[in-house]
Amino acid sequence: MSNQTFAARWTDGKTATTHQATVTLGRAVEIHPQNLGEPVLWSLHRTMASVPLWRSSADVLMRSLDHPGQSLFVDDPNFAAALLSLAPHLGAGSKRLRDLKPGLSVTAAIAAIAGSVYALDLSPATYIAGLIPKDARVLAGQQVLQIFTQGQGYCEAPEGYAALQNLALKLQAAAGTDTEFTVSAVNWDMVNAFAVPGEQIIVTRGLIEKAQSAEEVAGVIGHEMGHGIALHPEAGLVRSIGIAAAAELVFTGSSGTIGTLGQQMLQLNYSRSAEREADDHGLRILKEAKISPVPLAEFFDRLAKEMGEPEEGSTVGEMFSTHPPSPERAATAKAAATYATEPAMSAEDWAALKAICAQQPVIEDAPPVEDLPPSDVPQPEFPESDQQPPLPPT
């Protein structure tokens, strides 16, 4: 089969910047980032996909075990089929086979869950995620938080912490659900926020410093609450560990894999449809809280300019990690500004929130992720001589 070339986005794992690239499939995955000189070569049998692939998968997010932190995103309906013909271990069928475990009780549990899923026409991963006990979901989320805060710690200057909690409670009340969220700030300079299982959200020092108003922070937290309401972190976890291990969590509330669930979660990314669903929830929450979505739109506009994204309507420079294009998200947020608004918080509280990490030492880079205890999570089969370094967060 002749080599095939596709447009892609690639990140080097050292910075949050993504690069336009072309990727050629042949004896290896050959990545040619624009304006960066030599190509990057990934061994096919050492690649991993964020979710198991079907030949019809619309887009693909993948990593290499030999290049920790690097990621490749290809938005081409023909890419998955081409990739699976060369790397069948990335397919959904292969993943299911690796996930099989002995025991009639687990088999019966899976059959019962599958029957309910298909009878009700539900998303399998989301349905199973909703069955996992809250305690198990919280514990899985805490594994992620423990990794994120190693060597960094939480930002808890008293006035700033109080301002953050008051904002979180305001947004939670506006969500109109029974979901109770825990929102924390972490002393990390990356501009980001994360939702992890168990309705737990972290915002980074970098994001708080980057924001120009409390409304921008509120919009980002609302978006992450949207992920939590839709159980996106838990659904991603189910896809990552497999249905057999997830069934153990459902029926026992515990699992031998619980010690490494945090490591699994660090490797997950959401689809564009999930990101848009979280955006919809976030905008609804802002409306109920009477917080303007316009600052959130301005935040997206700034991201678009800083990341070199094209104007609305172009599909070439979409944000990495499967987010919809920032101009699209900005336009959606602006269109939602149809209601009377109130300040998200007072000027004094905003000043306090900006200084929430003032009592913490500044750490420029995330600490290395230490190996966690061994797990019985089935892993892709590679030659025994190959080493599998841990994948840091992206």
Side-chain angles (χ1 to χ4, degrees):
M1 182 178 64
S2 60
N3 293 350
Q4 302 177 67
T5 300
F6 303 86
R9 295 294 296 271
W10 173 79
T11 183
D12 61 9
K14 300 176 182 178
T15 68
T17 302
T18 62
H19 305 274
Q20 297 283 355
T22 57
V23 56
T24 300
L25 296 179
R27 294 182 179 274
V29 179
E30 186 172 326
I31 304 166
H32 293 264
Q34 291 184 3
N35 303 322
L36 290 183
E38 295 297 321
V40 178
L41 298 179
W42 287 5
S43 173
L44 280 164
H45 81 281
R46 297 281 290 168
T47 57
M48 298 181 66
S50 62
V51 297
L53 301 178
W54 300 95
R55 294 181 67 85
S56 59
S57 295
D59 47 42
V60 176
L61 177 65
M62 57 189 299
R63 296 179 173 83
S64 168
L65 294 173
D66 296 322
H67 301 271
Q70 292 188 15
S71 298
L72 183 71
F73 179 68
V74 182
D75 180 17
D76 189 313
N78 299 314
F79 182 72
L83 179 62
L84 287 174
S85 67
L86 298 172
H89 69 277
L90 301 177
S94 297
K95 180 67 166 62
R96 285 200 303 271
L97 289 175
R98 292 195 300 269
D99 288 338
L100 290 178
K101 298 173 72 175
L104 292 177
S105 60
V106 173
T107 302
I110 296 172
I113 290 173
S116 299
V117 166
Y118 291 109
L120 298 174
D121 192 25
L122 301 171
S123 163
T126 302
Y127 179 75
I128 295 172
L131 299 177
I132 299 175
K134 176 68 177 288
D135 289 348
R137 294 192 292 113
V138 170
L139 180 57
Q142 287 175 346
Q143 295 294 325
V144 183
L145 298 181
Q146 181 180 6
I147 293 174
F148 273 124
T149 57
Q150 286 180 359
Q152 298 166 292
Y154 294 103
C155 298
E156 296 180 333
E159 293 82 3
Y161 180 81
L164 178 62
Q165 298 312 308
N166 288 336
L167 177 61
L169 290 173
K170 183 175 184 178
L171 295 171
Q172 177 177 294
T177 68
D178 295 330
T179 307
E180 296 183 0
F181 289 92
T182 300
V183 181
S184 306
V186 173
N187 186 36
W188 190 5
D189 66 340
M190 177 175 283
V191 180
N192 219 329
F194 305 89
V196 301
E199 292 77 54
Q200 300 172 88
I201 296 170
I202 60 174
V203 295
T204 64
R205 169 174 55 83
L207 185 140
I208 294 173
E209 292 176 348
K210 189 76 170 179
Q212 296 182 1
S213 69
E215 285 73 20
E216 292 183 7
V217 176
V220 172
I221 293 176
H223 171 86
E224 299 304 328
M225 285 184 173
H227 280 308
I229 291 170
L231 293 177
H232 291 156
E234 288 83 353
L237 179 62
V238 171
R239 296 187 188 99
S240 177
I241 68 176
I243 291 189
E248 186 177 351
L249 285 174
V250 170
F251 288 94
T252 70
S254 63
S255 168
T257 69
I258 201 71
T260 56
L261 291 184
Q263 188 76 5
Q264 294 284 334
M265 282 300 301
L266 291 179
Q267 302 175 27
L268 300 182
N269 294 85
Y270 303 127
S271 67
R272 281 201 187 94
S273 61
E275 292 292 351
R276 290 189 173 104
E277 183 179 6
D279 278 346
D280 291 342
H281 278 298
L283 292 174
R284 177 182 59 80
I285 290 171
L286 291 181
K287 182 176 181 179
E288 294 299 321
K290 298 182 179 180
I291 296 174
S292 173
V294 174
L296 180 63
E298 295 171 347
F299 183 69
F300 288 142
D301 281 337
R302 293 203 308 275
L303 286 180
K305 293 178 181 178
E306 292 179 12
M307 296 186 69
E309 295 189 57
E311 295 299 323
E312 183 180 3
S314 173
T315 61
V316 176
E318 296 188 6
M319 284 185 68
F320 193 68
S321 298
T322 71
H323 282 72
S326 291
E328 172 193 317
R329 305 176 80 188
T332 301
K334 290 175 183 176
T338 59
Y339 53 89
T341 62
E342 301 173 353
M345 62 176 60
S346 67
E348 292 78 13
D349 283 347
W350 172 233
L353 180 58
K354 292 287 281 186
I356 191 172
C357 297
Q359 298 179 1
Q360 300 291 118
V362 174
I363 298 177
E364 296 301 331
D365 296 303
V369 177
E370 298 179 358
D371 290 335
L372 293 172
S375 164
D376 64 351
V377 178
Q379 299 293 329
E381 296 180 5
F382 301 106
E384 292 183 358
S385 61
D386 289 341
Q387 297 297 315
Q388 301 182 38
L391 298 174
T394 58

